[in-house]
Every structure is written in C-alpha cells, then in structure tokens.
Amino acid sequence: MKTRSPIVSVLGHVDHGKTTLLDHIRGSTIASKEAGGITQHIGATEIPMDVISSICGGFLEKMNIQEQLPGLFFIDTPGHEAFTTLRKRGGSLADLAILIMDVTEGFKPQTYEALNILKSSKTPFVVAANKIDKIPGWNSTKGECFSKAVQNQHKNVVFDLDQKIYEIVGTLHEEGFESERFDRVSNFASQITIVPISAYTGEGLPELLTMLLGLAYQYLNEQLQIEEDAPASGTVLEVKEEKGLGLTIDTILYDGVLNKDDRIMMLTKENKVISTKIRSLLKPKPLEEIRESKTMFEDTNQIVAAAGVKIVAPHVDDVVSGSPLKVANDDNIRVEDELLSEVDNIRIQTNDIGILVKADTLGSLEALVNILDSKDIPIKSAEIGDISRRDIINASIMYEEDEKYGVIIAFNVNILPSAEDELNDQNIMVFQDRVIYQLTEDYLNWVNSAKERQKKAKLASIIRPSKIRIMPKLVFRHSKPAIAGVEIMSGIIEKGVTLINDKGHVVGRVESMEDNGENLPKVSRGSQVAMAIGDAVFEKDFEEGDVLYVDMSERNFFAINNELKDKLLDDEILTMEELQEIKQETEDSNWGVINTDWSELDTLDEDEYEDFY
Ligand SMILES: Nc1nc2c(ncn2[C@@H]2O[C@H](COP(=O)(O)OP(=O)(O)OP(=O)(O)O)[C@@H](O)[C@H]2O)c(=O)[nH]1
C-alpha cells in the first residue's frame, strides 16, 4: 500500500482565475527548483510536498499537519468545462476542489454550477476569493501569505475585503453551506474555509494550499491508500489525435499501476465496452528537452497512480471522454461487468414522454441529468454525442405528444449538418449552453413563457359580447351575402362572429365590415358600417330596425365571467345579461348559471378546446 497525492480540481466561473492560479502554482514551484520541482503530467500537474512546505512556510507546522502526503495533484481544468464533471467509481475524479471566484464579482452562473456539482458529488472544497489585489487601495507583496499581507493594508481596504467575503458567506449560506474566512473558522468539520488570494501576485497561496492539505487529512485517509502493484483504474480525459501517433487517450490514473504491455478496457459513446492492447505509454518530456528535440512526449514502461498519462492504442475512436479505464489482463468478464455497472451507476431514469438530453462526456451527462431530475423535468433519453438527425426526429415525436417536450438540451456538443436541415423543418427547440445549470434555467423560463403565450392566445380568442342594430332604409343587398348599414350598440364586434336575433335564431356570419371603402376587421360601439352577413336573407332572417346579438357558447360566456368581466364596460355586461335571457328562453333555462372555472381550460386538449369555442 502507498498513499497517493489527492487529486485536486479548480472550478469556477469563466475568467475568475483558474488558469492564472494553476500557472502561479506551477510558476512558483518551477522557481523553487532546489526543492524538487514539479512533475508535469498529461492533463495534470503534481506539486510535491517539500515544494508545498517551502511555499507554505511555517503554516503546515502551525496547523499541526504531519507530512504524510506525497503532494497535491492538480487536474488542468482550464478551457475544458467537462473536467468539472469527471468522475471515478463512486464519485468525482477529484478528491478535493478549489472553488475559485473573483472576489470583486462574487457568485456567477458557473460558480453556482460548480457548487452544485461539488454538492452532489460530496467533494470537500475550499473557496478561493481571488483577485484581492484588485480591491481599491490594496498594497500587494508578491507571494506573501495572506495573514501578513493583510497587515499591510489600510483599515478601509480590510473593511472592503471583509464586506465582500461576507457577501460570499451569505450566498454560501443560502446554498446550504456554513463558511468563514479561514482564520476565523471555529469548526473545520462544519464550515467551509474561504481563503482570500491573488492568483496574480501569489498572495494567500500559502494558506490556500495549507487548507487543501488540511481537508485531505480530515477526509481522505482511506481514499488515498492505493495498492502500488494492483491493476490500474483511471478516467479518460480526452481522446485526441496526436501528430505522428494517431489517436491517443489522455487518462488520469487514480489507483494501481499501468504497464506498457497491459490490455485495457474502456466505454464507448454507445455504452459498449471495448478492449485494446496498449502500444505505448507516454508522459511529457521535461521542458528543456522539448525545446531541444521538439517532441513533446517520452516513452515509459510503467506508471503508478496518481498520474496523468497518454496512451497509444488501436481501436479507440469511439471511446468517450469521462469513461472509466481498467486493466483487463486476465479476468475480462469481471472487468467488463465492472465497467458496465459504472454506466448503470449513472442512474438515468427515462420516461415515455420527456425531453432529449445530449452531452459530451459521461460526467457532464450525469451532472445534467441530476440537475434536470432535481427540477422534476422528465427525460425521454439521455445520450453522449453530437445532435443527429435521429435526435431531431425523436424530439419531434415528443413535440406531437406535448410541445414542451419537443426539446433537446445539449451540453458541449454540436449539431451535425444533416440534423441542421431536419431542425429547420421542425418546430422543436434546441437549448445549448456552456453552463449546465443555465440550460435548465433557460428551459424552465421557456416553458413558462410558452404557458403565458398560450394563455394570452386563449384570452384573445374569447368572443366578446356585442349587439348591433340594422339601420332603416340602408339594406343594400338582400342576400348572398346580405349587406346592410348597421350601428354597433355595444361592445366590439369582430369579423367572423355569428349573429342571432332576440328569438335565438341564427341570422348569419359577419363576413366583412366596411366604412368609406375601408375594410375593418373589428368595429366598436357607436360606429356605423356596412356589414356583409353571409347566408342571411333580408326579410326572411332579419328586418330593418332589428337588434342582433353576437352568438357565443355557454363556455365562452363563463370564460368571460371568469377572466374578462372586470375589463368589460357596463353596456357590455348588460348585453351579456340580455343574451343570457335569450338563451334561457330558447335553449336551456339554466344557461350560464352553473359556472365552470376557467383554469380548467388549461387542461383541455386540442379537440376539447375547439369544442369550447
Ligand atoms: N488583478 C488580477 N487579475 C487576475 C487574477 N487572477 C486572474 N486574473 C486575470 O483575470 C483574467 C482571467 O483569468 P484566467 O486565469 O484566464 O481565468 P480562467 O478562470 O482560467 O478563465 P477561463 O479559462 O476562460 O475559464 C486574466 O486576464 C488574468 O490575468 C488576480 O488575482 N488578480
């Protein structure tokens, strides 16, 4: 057994300083070469303990931390959001995390997202409140520990910083975490530590690294014990083409040992297990040698966790980023089962009806599905890979079931050209964003605004009460259609409505209304227009001087009562009452008496809705 370095990932919003922090940590360690320097891995950087001790000065002793760990192993997060969701068996690939934020900006969408991911993967983390040197009046000293640097500041500057820290404490509290500035933490087991730093000047880095080590000692004892000669386990970061080498797999090993002649198993985008034999194991060359030889990598025969390694092997085209990687030299079936059970672990509950989800890696798919689940958004299918024509067709089938599920939520994937064409022909929505949590928000906002739009459309289609009078001596045409001069006596009348007389008989449908040669779609009280009434015959269906009412169904009547009544004018209300009287006398003595709630209308399907109108 040996203790490996804890794997640390740096998460945070765009531009809040992830790269600068990692660069600074690397930079300071390169500078302190005599202390042993760093090991550059594929996709990661390892800082040995003696280097950390030299950066942290007396802090480690002060914290009473024994030097038991080989160092800290930082995954190179920047520019690759999917890293935030890399997983290993039973949780996140990272054992520890730094949640970094710009102290002058506080929480931003990706900060919330990172926090959610840390919460759901239960990864212990430290908050780095970065860019303290940007606080107006801050007096920087390169590489200084925060505890000393803060003594060099004017009291107003310290006050400013504290205000900002307390805002972060407040937001963390709302998100379910108790936290404090590291030097005021009373209980390390229940409070998250916040370390003010500048990734730029290096201020506060000693404390940041010390706090990480503190977390490692507190939480990670067993997790870090590995068997040095056990077959390796790892997580695939990326499959990528490398000049002269073909397809290679960048992998982080978190357990065991990988040998050059090992056979390995990984998962494909289709969740199938592939088995392949390693051709070569590569690690980065030291910087000076890269300059001389221009080749970036060197061969190695064996590599022990924790480590980042580039693997050259055939048949790896379909391997998915985030896939587990395992050595399978003898008991292939067992290893295959283990891999498949990892996929099952990503518990994706699918429904008959729901949205489609696409993501680039197993980890990001899992994170996305978890967030959608927590918001009770049903998922029809969740898959890795670009959006294909088949996805668009499947989403359009869902659209037929329910408009709000005719949707694809996609993280870090592209729309294939053939799918673009199909998409143009369909009504479905594709949501794409680099922030997982933003995708869910956008989708929910869209669903809500669609509901609002539907409601507005329903309101707009309610027929309003209105009555008209056929003016004497102004019947211009007797039939097909009958055309007469009319006066609008109440309400607003729209083209297309049906008119009835005071005996409840249908007179005809308003085909058009005209005034001074102008065609009018709707006309309001007091106007006089020439009205064409289809199917009506003068002196059979209506006479000069007749008062005619706009006809409506009983449900429309209730809809007005429930939704529009306070918007009606007195004369319109009167017209409603007159219409009700006519209906009660001619159709049903209870017409318009038993009210049905409008909200029921929201649950009507299309046919019922048509019926209603
Ligand atoms: N003043 C100051 N600027 C900083 C500090 N840390 C980072 N910056 C600047 O902020 C900008 C963004 O920093 P990055 O390190 O690239 O941020 P990032 O989080 O890696 O950004 P992405 O990789 O795009 O997500 C750069 O211009 C940095 O120089 C800091 O402590 N102080």
Side-chain angles (χ1 to χ4, degrees), residues 13-20 78-79 130-131 133-134 198-200:
H13 191 73
V14 187
D15 277 352
H16 278 197
K18 299 182 290 292
T19 317
T20 314
N130 190 27
K131 307 199 186 182
D133 61 295
K134 271 176 60 183
S198 164
Y200 195 65

Side-chain angles (χ1 to χ4, degrees), residues 324-377:
L325 174 143
K326 284 190 185 297
V327 169
N329 289 333
D330 26 59
D331 195 353
N332 288 358
I333 307 263
R334 183 185 54 83
V335 176
E336 191 168 342
D337 284 350
E338 265 178 46
L339 283 181
L340 288 173
S341 77
E342 290 246 352
V343 188
D344 293 341
N345 275 343
I346 306 178
R347 195 191 46 83
I348 297 175
Q349 290 253 353
T350 53
N351 302 270
D352 291 341
I353 299 177
I355 58 166
L356 268 73
V357 182
K358 303 283 302 205
D360 61 338
T361 67
L362 276 177
S364 53
L365 191 68
E366 181 181 35
L368 190 49
V369 165
N370 281 345
I371 292 178
L372 290 167
D373 266 353
S374 72
K375 308 261 180 197
D376 290 328
I377 301 171

Side-chain angles (χ1 to χ4, degrees), residues 287-299:
L287 269 182
E288 317 80 66
E289 288 180 37
I290 292 178
R291 260 181 240 122
E292 279 163 25
S293 65
K294 298 217 166 63
T295 52
M296 308 272 283
F297 311 106
E298 65 184 13
D299 270 304

Side-chain angles (χ1 to χ4, degrees), residues 355-359 385-389 391-396 399 403-416 419-433 438-440 442-443 446:
I355 58 166
L356 268 73
V357 182
K358 303 283 302 205
D386 290 335
I387 299 173
S388 66
R389 191 166 164 270
D391 294 325
I392 308 281
I393 292 170
N394 286 340
S396 64
Y399 181 88
E403 198 179 321
K404 68 173 175 291
Y405 299 138
V407 162
I408 300 176
I409 291 197
F411 176 74
N412 234 358
V413 295
N414 297 314
I415 303 178
L416 297 173
E420 292 269 11
D421 294 342
E422 190 68 36
L423 188 59
N424 292 336
D425 298 340
Q426 304 281 358
N427 283 324
I428 70 156
M429 288 286 292
V430 176
F431 290 89
Q432 287 178 293
D433 203 290
Q438 193 62 40
L439 281 167
T440 338
D442 288 350
Y443 172 65
W446 174 80

Side-chain angles (χ1 to χ4, degrees), residues 11-18 100-101 105-106 108-111 435:
L11 321 183
H13 191 73
V14 187
D15 277 352
H16 278 197
K18 299 182 290 292
I100 190 167
M101 68 184 87
E105 293 194 352
K108 289 278 173 176
Q110 278 167 309
T111 328
V435 185

